[in-house]
Amino acid sequence: MDTLETRELRYFVAVAEELHFGRAAERLGMAQPPLSRAIQQLERRLGVCLLQRNRRGVRLTGAGEVLLHEGRAALDATVAAARRTRRAGGADSPGGPRNRLVLAVKAAASHELLRKLLDAYAAEPDSAEIEVLPCGICEQEELLRDGRADVALMHTPWNSLAGFDSEALTTEGQVAVLPAGHPLTARETLSLADVRDVPDLPLARWPTHGTYAPGPGPEIHNQTQLAQLIALGRTVAVVPDSARSWLWAEHTAVPLTDAPPVVTHIAWPAHSRSLALAGLVRTAARL
Amino acid sequence: MDTLETRELRYFVAVAEELHFGRAAERLGMAQPPLSRAIQQLERRLGVCLLQRNRRGVRLTGAGEVLLHEGRAALDATVAAARRTRRAGGADSPGGPRNRLVLAVKAAASHELLRKLLDAYAAEPDSAEIEVLPCGICEQEELLRDGRADVALMHTPWNSLAGFDSEALTTEGQVAVLPAGHPLTARETLSLADVRDVPDLPLARWPTHGTYAPGPGPEIHNQTQLAQLIALGRTVAVVPDSARSWLWAEHTAVPLTDAPPVVTHIAWPAHSRSLALAGLVRTAARL
DNA sequence: TCCTGTCATACCTGCCAGGTATCACCGCGT
DNA sequence: ACGCGGTGATACCTGGCAGGTATGACAGGA
């Protein structure tokens, strides 16, 4: 009577994202009419108008926006359930599942810490196998939510810890990375204002949740690309202290006095009850 | 292909909870054979054995336990989606939905704070209507998760904030509530050890998530009952400072030196994006 | 005014969810 | 040893609904 089926949520989210029945149907691999009908049924069952059909496109109502957000969360939870169940599948005897844990890490971030963590955890008795899943800049939240990962290393203020349990591991300052020999490298320290408006060196832009903030600087996709652009004297970047480990000879790092500190956390879905995860977190907290 | 339907999750959770196909089918209002078949299909689709069918009952495998936990979370998320969408339904124009917020509060806890919060929020411009939903001792988490409530007042260390966003509002100490005239009331302060083992006054037990820890003291269901039992000289209780407001003449409160402080939080689902909620939280943080 | 793009309607069909009847199997009493 | 009760699995059928095709209604633009 009043329970939404996953299928209906999938359909609605597709339509709400495309704002176009035809394209949504194509994306779902079905014809448009049954999709229209399914959405109508959904609206009737909920007793709520979700979409405002003006000829020439579709708009979300307030209730539609709510269902889009809540429905996405619910869909994530269901695919996470399927994935985690499959993952737990191989080992079976209730005694020793010998779980695998998938750990999501921003590529090249917190490398030292990660190495220490993996070594320390492997030395524990009964440690599970850890699969390291390298991911993009802000992808960890999504990976945890949809079950592709069980635990992640996150970095505030870039990642949001909302909805996860977490434990802070380390705090570090940030540095400006400049081309070696640039006039600013003569200074002992810099402020954010100093590097934000260098005329010849626009500040590099990282994607936040897949999109780039507008600005003059180049759009950076990975660390190597960034290193190269800095070495070529085309840009300047603000990165955590620990990034010094991958700097080149053509780079110079200058500490920033007023950049927000970067805190590395280990984070996991709040409802998690895995013993292996608990062990990993305990190990991390002791580092 | 690989997406779990809500129906399948409902079925599996029922079987996993009952550990009995017949009873689960009855609970679901269906016959047993289709249920058996549905679970088999689920196992085949996931490629995982979820249940160990020993004649004479059923047991969960490791993967089954994972799916039970994750599936419950996913089901909660879907019913929450439906409920919140319905609730957002009445008002429609994208401009002013005039939302209602449902606020879950442990009955009689933080009464003063709640009054101040409601008054302050009502005085705000554009404040939404707040429906106060009184609930049991540890029910708030469940209400938030399945969408019956949008926001709650919680009290650590009793409530867990895992999976929610929250803002701490007040901190208070705890007091021991004794029958007036009891020898211990002569003391200025007490320690937990003092009240834990009073021979004639066993410590009252509150339910935690629906179950009572074992112990000698009486099982308390509500505050009136507790007040009466203390007044009759049958038990002693440890309660937050603010509970002094409902004490009787036959009660005496003595501060405890080593009880953990009680922190009142306002908490809400981490992914919430409601403007009305944001306003309420802002008001609360300013109190 | 036609044409185009959009969503809704009408109607049909095949599949699958669910029901009934029954089986296979085990434990347990006598 | 034998039947009996209780368990989950199998076989088979059927109705409803998900999904497809064809087409309509309607708005906006040239």
Side-chain angles (χ1 to χ4, degrees):
Chain A
M1 207 296 264
D2 61 339
T3 121
L4 298 186
E5 283 304 315
T6 313
R7 182 178 46 85
E8 303 179 284
L9 283 179
R10 262 197 346 262
Y11 289 1
F12 177 75
V13 169
V15 174
E17 282 177 356
E18 300 282 349
L19 290 178
H20 190 288
F21 280 80
R23 280 194 301 273
E26 189 181 10
R27 199 173 104 185
L28 292 165
M30 65 188 290
Q32 169 259 320
L35 180 58
S36 282
R37 225 190 19 181
I39 302 290
Q40 286 175 303
Q41 280 181 2
L42 181 63
E43 288 180 303
R44 243 181 310 121
R45 286 240 312 275
L46 288 173
V48 157
C49 174
L50 298 169
L51 299 167
Q52 222 159 342
R53 284 93 158 162
N54 310 328
R55 330 240 149 244
R56 217 68 182 181
V58 175
R59 277 212 333 260
L60 283 175
T61 65
E65 303 221 28
V66 170
L67 186 57
L68 178 57
H69 286 115
E70 301 276 332
R72 272 187 187 135
L75 282 179
D76 277 349
T78 38
V79 318
R83 260 197 263 262
R84 297 216 168 93
T85 305
R86 276 215 190 83
R87 191 120 34 78
D92 224 349
S93 45
R98 181 74 184 173
N99 275 348
R100 256 185 139 180
L101 281 179
V102 178
L103 170 64
V105 192
K106 255 192 286 286
S110 306
H111 184 72
E112 287 302 312
L113 175 68
L114 177 60
R115 164 179 298 279
K116 277 195 292 180
L117 173 58
L118 291 180
D119 288 349
Y121 182 65
E124 293 275 314
D126 308 317
S127 60
E129 195 178 335
I130 303 279
E131 179 183 335
V132 176
L133 175 64
C135 66
I137 305 292
C138 275
E139 235 181 326
Q140 289 110 316
E141 291 102 315
E142 195 188 336
L143 294 177
L144 285 187
R145 257 193 290 271
D146 73 9
R148 274 175 294 174
D150 300 306
V151 54
L153 291 184
M154 293 193 182
H155 302 84
T156 56
W158 299 312
N159 291 115
S160 151
L161 298 170
F164 304 112
D165 272 0
S166 65
E167 191 88 37
L169 300 182
T170 64
T171 303
E172 50 186 331
Q174 296 196 68
V175 297
V177 181
L178 296 149
H182 187 277
L184 280 178
T185 61
R187 308 258 303 264
E188 278 300 312
T189 62
L190 292 170
S191 74
L192 279 178
D194 290 330
V195 296
R196 209 184 294 285
D197 297 310
V198 192
D200 53 334
L201 285 185
L203 195 59
R205 288 175 298 140
W206 298 89
T208 314
H209 297 284
T211 57
Y212 288 87
E219 300 186 348
I220 297 303
H221 298 97
N222 57 57
Q223 172 245 302
T224 312
Q225 194 180 41
L226 175 65
Q228 183 170 28
L229 285 176
I230 297 174
L232 292 173
R234 300 300 187 85
T235 189
V236 56
V238 173
V239 298
D241 260 350
S242 62
R244 288 182 138 126
S245 60
W246 53 259
L247 292 193
W248 299 357
E250 296 109 311
H251 295 150
T252 303
V254 180
L256 287 161
T257 53
D258 58 349
V262 176
V263 185
T264 305
H265 293 81
I266 184 168
W268 62 96
H271 63 273
S272 223
R273 297 208 178 281
S274 145
L275 283 178
L277 172 61
L280 180 66
V281 171
R282 209 176 330 111
T283 305
R286 274 204 293 253
L287 282 183
Chain B
M1 206 292 265
D2 64 336
T3 124
L4 297 186
E5 283 304 316
T6 312
R7 183 177 47 85
E8 304 179 283
L9 283 179
R10 258 194 353 256
Y11 290 0
F12 176 76
V13 169
V15 173
E17 283 177 355
E18 301 281 348
L19 291 178
H20 189 289
F21 280 80
R23 280 195 299 275
E26 189 182 9
R27 200 175 103 184
L28 292 166
M30 66 186 292
Q32 168 258 318
L35 180 57
S36 281
R37 224 189 20 178
I39 301 290
Q40 286 175 302
Q41 282 181 1
L42 182 62
E43 288 180 305
R44 240 181 310 120
R45 284 237 314 272
L46 288 174
V48 157
C49 174
L50 299 169
L51 298 168
Q52 220 159 343
R53 284 90 156 165
N54 309 328
R55 328 240 146 246
R56 220 67 182 179
V58 175
R59 278 210 334 259
L60 283 175
T61 66
E65 301 220 29
V66 170
L67 185 57
L68 177 56
H69 288 114
E70 301 275 332
R72 274 189 186 135
L75 282 180
D76 276 349
T78 43
V79 318
R83 259 196 264 262
R84 297 217 169 93
T85 306
R86 277 219 189 80
R87 190 120 36 77
D92 225 350
S93 44
R98 183 71 186 173
N99 277 347
R100 251 184 144 181
L101 282 179
V102 178
L103 170 65
V105 192
K106 257 193 283 289
S110 304
H111 183 73
E112 286 303 311
L113 175 67
L114 176 60
R115 164 180 298 280
K116 276 195 294 184
L117 172 58
L118 291 180
D119 287 350
Y121 182 64
E124 293 276 313
D126 306 318
S127 59
E129 195 177 335
I130 304 280
E131 179 182 336
V132 176
L133 175 63
C135 67
I137 305 293
C138 274
E139 236 180 324
Q140 289 108 317
E141 291 102 316
E142 194 189 336
L143 293 177
L144 285 187
R145 257 193 291 271
D146 72 9
R148 275 176 294 173
D150 300 305
V151 54
L153 291 184
M154 292 193 184
H155 301 84
T156 56
W158 301 312
N159 291 115
S160 151
L161 298 170
F164 304 112
D165 272 2
S166 65
E167 190 85 39
L169 301 182
T170 62
T171 303
E172 48 185 330
Q174 296 196 67
V175 295
V177 182
L178 297 148
H182 187 277
L184 281 178
T185 61
R187 309 254 307 261
E188 276 301 312
T189 62
L190 292 169
S191 74
L192 279 178
D194 291 330
V195 296
R196 210 184 293 284
D197 297 311
V198 192
D200 52 333
L201 285 185
L203 195 60
R205 287 176 297 142
W206 297 89
T208 315
H209 296 286
T211 58
Y212 288 87
E219 300 187 345
I220 298 303
H221 299 98
N222 57 57
Q223 173 246 307
T224 310
Q225 194 181 41
L226 175 65
Q228 185 171 27
L229 286 176
I230 297 175
L232 293 172
R234 302 300 187 84
T235 190
V236 55
V238 173
V239 299
D241 260 350
S242 62
R244 287 182 138 124
S245 60
W246 52 259
L247 292 193
W248 300 357
E250 297 109 311
H251 295 150
T252 302
V254 181
L256 287 161
T257 52
D258 58 350
V262 175
V263 185
T264 305
H265 292 82
I266 185 167
W268 61 95
H271 63 270
S272 225
R273 297 209 179 279
S274 145
L275 282 178
L277 172 61
L280 180 65
V281 171
R282 208 177 329 111
T283 305
R286 275 204 292 255
L287 283 183

